[in-house]
Amino acid sequence: MLTVLALLVGALLALGVAALPLARSAAGAKAVHGACVAVGALVVAGGLAGLLGGAAAIALPFGPPWGPLRLALDPLAAWFLLPLGIVAGCASLFALGGVRGPVPARLLLPWPIFLAGMLLTILAADGFTLLLGFEAMSLASWALVAHDTAAAENRRAARVYLGFAGFGGLSLILAIGLSAGGAGDVAFAALREAPPEGWRAAAVLALVLAGAGSKAGLFPLHVWLPLAHPAAPSHVSAAMSGAMTKVALYVLARFVFDLMGPAQPLWLGAPLVALGAASAVLGALRATLEDDAKTLLACSTIENVGLIVIGFGLALAFRGADLPALAALAAAASLLHALNHAVFKTLLFLAAGEVLHGALSRRLDRLGGLIHRMPWTAWAALVGVAAAAALPPLSGFASEWLLLQALLAAWRVGDLAFQMGVAAATALAALAVALAAAAMVRFWGLAFLGRPRSPRAAGAQESGGAARIALLVPAVLTVLLGILPGVMLDLAEPALRQVSGAAAPRAGLFAVGAADGGARYWPLAVALLLAAAIGAALWVVRRAAPRGLARGPAWDGGFIAAPAHLPFGDPATQPSAAGFAQPLRRMLGESLLAAREHVTMPPPGSTAPATLETGFRDPVLAALEGPLPRWREAVAAQAERLRGLSIRQCLGLTFGAVVLMLALLAWLEAR
Amino acid sequence: MAVIWSILAQALHIALILAAAPVLTGVVRWLKARMTGRRGAHPLQPLRDLLKLLCKTPVLAENASMVSRAAPYVAAGAAIAAAALVPSFARGMALAPLADLILVAGLLALGRVAMALAGMDAGTPFGGLGASREMSFAALAEPALVVAALTLAILAGTTNLDAVAATLREGGLGLRVSLGFALVALVAVAIAGNARIPVDNPATHLELTMVHEAMTLEASGRHLALWEYAAMLRLTLWLALLSAVFLPFGQAPAGAAPHHWVVGLLAWVAKMGALALVLAAFESAIAKMRVFRVPEFLGAALLLGLLGAVLLFVSTGLT
Amino acid sequence: MSFGQLGYDMAHLLGGGVLLLSFVLLYQRRIGAVINAFAMQGALLALAAAWAAHSQGVPGLYLTALLTLAAKGVLIPLALHATVRRLDLHRTVETALGIGPSLVAGVGLVALAILVVLPATEGARALAREDLALALSVVLLGMLMMITRRNAISQVIGLLSLENGLILAAIGVAGMPLVVELSAAALVLMIAVVAAVFAFQIRERFDTLDTASLDEHRGERR
């Protein structure tokens, strides 16, 4: 199977090159996207084969001067192939349905290369291949983010993304270099032989968190995500949020659980838990305050990535404290949530893409009432929203139940400081989940319910066909993954054994459990119980109450007949995006995000309306765009002085450099 | 044999909860009226109101969608499912392996999301106001619930409600201050979840002070009957949860024969009555808080729960 | 002694109650409620002292309980209520740090106190270690109250609740001589009297008890 996957990488690269001539016609673009759909399906099959079969490793016949490119498919990599394949398939299908004419080459060409980069990163078995895939992934996605440079915010997003991608790549190079030590061999097998200890382990962890963490959207390197993900086309946003973040988390997991050796101390997991909790709360809070649908979904990605990293940190800590069953529980929660999040986030981004195409706006203040005009999109998005809000019996609840059980069991570690930290992390994780529910209710309610807020929203239309199938597939998967998490955990058992050394916690067809003697969650039984309860309510009401409905104008709030120029009623009589967010903005936004509201009242006697301005600042972005450019300019100003040196000073500079080199040589010779 | 008893106990429990919900709400209203010097309506009045509402045809707003028609059933179903899981007069019922505190929280969240979406459906300002306030209060109440669950999970080793009730009954835990803190946190969450004073006034007619009522302002007929019934079930569920965990006396243990159930039933009725009295007295004695003071209240409950967990770490570390 | 035994439970419960009331002091917004919570803390402390006297068999602690009840539970709150009425103060408490952040800081301080006390008292009895951790927490919370409140009356109450923490520590440790305790209490009382005199002076000069208003009149500022 590994050879098939390696050939797929090659096929995707060839497809990217072929996209150049194929972009001239709509049929060519559809062919490219259709081929990507097939690749996605094959990647899922490859992942399943890797989990069910054994591990495999090959060395390609070409590569850098010091050795061939190595690829391997072990259970951890095979698990992460599943979200990659599903997301690639659904996003390509959506793009297929969205082709209405010739697609510009700068949009078509990078897409297969993006998928190839992600696939290569997961299959890599040595540092060079990993970096090759990682950088290809970054550059291709940057090209897609920067495709539309007309708007200033898109240019800013591309600039910030490039900066972070470069920083992340550099950190990963340093991490791999530091892990390899002096040997110079960056194959994973060699890195496993020499696990780092002490300060070297801490340095490697910090560098990996900077590199992979920034790509995944972990606090404090998350600020590029809400800028870049919305700027890309919808299918690319879905792939970036659904697949690219998972690939980055795979790199983190590979380092932390595999390459850094099996015996790491307890405290190594603590920074992961802390950063994960901070990301979760910040991402969820920002999601409740954002006005733009895609930025909201990107902030929700930050939150879910934070939850997954909390799980990784707990698994690491449990491994260090010699509690393998609990480590398996935490790792199971993270792996399952990675898969579930990929599926429902793809669904939500594709639905937002449909809304963007139909109602021509991403801003929640220009949408509304779309459930009447776009029913398929609305109901599919509701499944995604319910999963993102962690409502039983869908997939989001299953993985968050497991994560909460891991957090509630973390006190068994025994170290008092760690116990207190984890108690605080439990409160923060629960806060993040509840804030995510609020954000999702706000998103779906403002976009799809109520009355249209703009004429285009009143006339929105769905595109059927491939785009609709691309929405239905993740929706059905979300329901299935919610009802059968036990099956998925059984499938993931080899990966869990590799990560934590123990099997999944009491999984089976019908239930998932939280370690021996612990609580269990029976999703199928819960779904049946809910269905029975709702059915009973329906039956009783049908028998006791008369049928039929009456329709009338809305009752509360007082409505007059709509004016002629606003046939769907004045949009100001409905909740606005800023208005719906007001309670949370005042409760938490003012302290955490420097949120402010400013009302400007007109002078007495004037009939002009009052204006309400609301806004917030992400503290990391403010730090990034404040002090950092100032330092850069200060350094540049100092460097400018080199231009004004006299001849004597230039000669002196050269002389000083020569003397320094000689001194260095003398010192090295003395050692 | 034990399987048959457990199924029978579950069926009786569901019937008991479904019948007791309107009666409990009526009793609480009657007690509040008596304490404030009024005669009060008959305790069965909520039941009569429900039957009256069922006979009426609902009127929907012109742009209301399928959500307004389906959400009442979803909320009522979620409340029934959650109420079926919380043990009342006996432990070890048929659905006891499902009864997990986090799951009950999730089912309540499902009902809450259904209510919020129904409130936003008609596109009216007060519906959106109620929905945003409700979701914001829940954002702070959920962590308080999870931290209280942390305390209970440390003591009982699991979050399964049956096991928690059994441990607090037979575990010899003594009067722990952490349990007191967890009780305060859970009571605060219960007040927020049931729209009780001081978080929300269940009997207000002023839209600006509404949270729950604002979301159901547009509902009428059988839909309103379902919303009201779901609210009554939630109140019964929370009081049953508090009594099962913190007042575990009299509950028939798992696998007990039916004559123990009679004792359990009498104990449960007495506990519910006592809690109804306490609730009525509490609501009559204090005033509703300003909306933007509620996060301080819920935040304080969260921090108390966290403190209880921290103190528990200390005592489990010592003994 | 462990959980399930009445002696341990009662001592644990009363100590936890005193800690809870320290949090209530941080949470309240009205002066009247703060003084009432302080009175309740004094009463609970007296109860804890009486229980310690009963369980440890030290009759001297009954005297401590009576003194605490009389002074902290009745007399000082009455005096403070009278002061508030006479000076006609604002009924709300001005806070330098919001209520939410000060509660979060309070929980952090309790965690810090536990992390400091538990490793340092290895080998002592479990009840003594916990009591010491609770008492240190009450002391730290009293200090937090002093620095996050701008009203002089609230700062005095913070000082007095800090002293409650010291008394709690003294009660928990068996064998603390009464003399040490009484001298500590007298010292704190002296400081409180001096603070009250200053409060009256401030009120007369500046017509407010907000200690932030003193900043404008500091000599070296201009």
Side-chain angles (χ1 to χ4, degrees), chain B residues 9-315:
Chain B
Q10 183 70 57
L12 282 175
H13 165 79
I14 294 179
L16 174 69
I17 294 281
L18 292 181
V23 175
L24 186 65
T25 305
V27 164
V28 169
R29 286 185 197 166
W30 183 80
L31 284 171
K32 273 173 73 171
R34 287 279 160 161
M35 283 184 200
T36 50
R38 295 174 280 134
R39 277 195 59 139
H42 192 277
L44 284 182
Q45 186 60 36
L47 187 61
R48 297 176 191 154
D49 287 339
L50 285 178
L51 293 172
K52 176 188 75 171
L53 281 173
L54 275 178
C55 297
K56 302 196 172 196
T57 307
V59 179
L60 288 185
E62 275 152 353
N63 62 302
S65 67
M66 186 69 194
V67 170
S68 291
R69 300 171 61 183
Y73 296 100
V74 172
I80 295 174
L85 296 177
V86 176
S88 62
F89 58 88
R91 293 195 291 274
M93 302 186 292
L95 291 175
L98 257 68
D100 182 66
L101 192 52
I102 313 278
L103 177 65
V104 168
L107 288 170
L108 289 173
L110 179 61
R112 182 186 316 131
V113 166
M115 193 188 258
L117 290 179
M120 296 177 80
D121 195 22
T124 54
F126 287 120
L129 182 81
S132 77
R133 284 178 180 178
E134 173 66 14
M135 298 307 296
S136 310
F137 293 163
L140 288 172
E142 289 275 309
L145 176 62
V146 168
V147 174
L150 176 62
T151 303
L152 295 175
I154 294 175
L155 288 171
T158 169
T159 50
N160 187 307
L161 280 173
D162 249 28
V164 167
T167 309
L168 271 86
R169 174 80 180 103
E170 293 141 11
L173 293 174
L175 301 167
R176 290 187 179 234
V177 80
S178 307
L179 278 180
F181 286 173
L183 174 64
V184 170
L186 277 180
V187 164
V189 176
I191 290 176
N194 286 311
R196 293 277 142 193
I197 293 179
V199 171
D200 181 18
N201 189 346
T204 184
H205 301 290
L206 306 169
E207 285 103 344
L208 280 176
T209 58
M210 288 180 183
V211 178
H212 274 70
E213 304 297 315
M215 293 184 278
T216 55
L217 267 177
E218 287 289 327
S220 51
R222 57 181 186 262
H223 299 154
L224 186 59
L226 282 169
W227 288 120
E228 299 277 313
Y229 190 62
M232 294 173 194
L233 273 175
R234 271 198 298 271
L235 179 64
T236 313
L237 186 159
W238 270 107
L239 291 182
L241 182 66
L242 287 173
S243 75
V245 172
F246 294 103
L247 303 170
F249 331 107
Q251 253 186 355
H259 56 270
H260 292 278
W261 296 351
V262 177
V263 172
L265 188 62
L266 290 173
W268 188 76
V269 168
K271 285 186 279 191
M272 287 285 122
L275 283 175
L277 187 62
V278 168
L279 177 64
F282 182 65
E283 283 203 294
S284 309
I286 64 175
K288 179 173 128 46
M289 272 190 239
R290 285 180 50 195
V291 166
F292 291 108
R293 294 283 173 83
V294 173
E296 282 174 11
F297 173 67
L298 290 173
L302 166 61
L303 289 171
L304 268 184
L306 203 56
L307 193 62
V310 165
L311 289 178
L312 204 53
F313 293 148
V314 172
S315 40

Side-chain angles (χ1 to χ4, degrees), chain C residues 71-108:
Chain C
K72 296 281 183 66
V74 176
L75 290 175
I76 295 187
L78 280 179
L80 287 171
H81 272 303
T83 312
V84 168
R85 258 199 314 274
R86 236 185 65 183
L87 294 185
D88 198 20
L89 292 175
H90 288 295
R91 295 300 195 250
T92 56
V93 173
E94 296 98 11
T95 54
L97 189 65
I99 300 254
S102 37
L103 285 177
V104 172
V107 174

Side-chain angles (χ1 to χ4, degrees), chain A residues 520-602:
Chain A
R520 292 209 225 178
Y521 170 53
W522 303 72
L524 193 60
V526 168
L528 288 173
L529 179 63
L530 262 177
I534 295 177
L538 258 174
W539 181 78
V540 166
V541 169
R542 276 289 153 84
R543 286 201 44 178
R547 302 276 187 104
L549 281 180
R551 291 267 175 183
W555 181 75
D556 80 297
F559 282 81
I560 56 174
H565 64 285
L566 293 170
F568 35 83
D570 193 344
T573 55
Q574 284 194 87
S576 67
F580 199 94
Q582 190 202 45
L584 279 169
R585 187 167 48 240
R586 286 206 194 167
M587 288 181 203
L588 293 173
E590 277 179 355
S591 46
L592 292 179
L593 289 174
R596 72 213 184 304
E597 294 172 1
H598 183 71
V599 175
T600 321
M601 297 294 292

Side-chain angles (χ1 to χ4, degrees), chain A residues 76-124:
Chain A
L76 184 62
W79 177 263
F80 277 93
L81 283 180
L82 294 177
L84 175 62
I86 295 174
V87 172
C90 294
S92 301
L93 192 60
F94 185 79
L96 180 70
V99 169
R100 285 174 185 86
V103 174
R106 67 175 187 280
L107 270 183
L108 195 60
L109 197 152
W111 175 245
I113 303 191
F114 179 40
L115 297 180
M118 289 196 282
L119 189 55
L120 190 62
T121 311
I122 295 186
L123 293 176

Side-chain angles (χ1 to χ4, degrees), chain A residues 475-525:
Chain A
V476 167
L477 271 178
T478 303
V479 174
L480 280 179
L481 286 173
I483 298 189
L484 299 171
V487 172
M488 297 313 295
L489 284 188
D490 276 342
L491 203 61
E493 186 175 324
L496 289 175
R497 277 194 194 279
Q498 185 186 358
V499 162
S500 63
R506 203 120 52 151
L509 183 59
F510 294 114
V512 286
D516 291 325
R520 292 209 225 178
Y521 170 53
W522 303 72
L524 193 60

Side-chain angles (χ1 to χ4, degrees), chain C residues 127-146:
Chain C
L127 180 56
R129 293 169 79 189
E130 268 198 61
D131 270 345
L132 217 52
L134 284 174
L136 184 59
S137 316
V138 174
V139 167
L140 287 175
L141 286 174
M143 271 196 243
L144 181 69
M145 191 173 172
M146 278 172 67

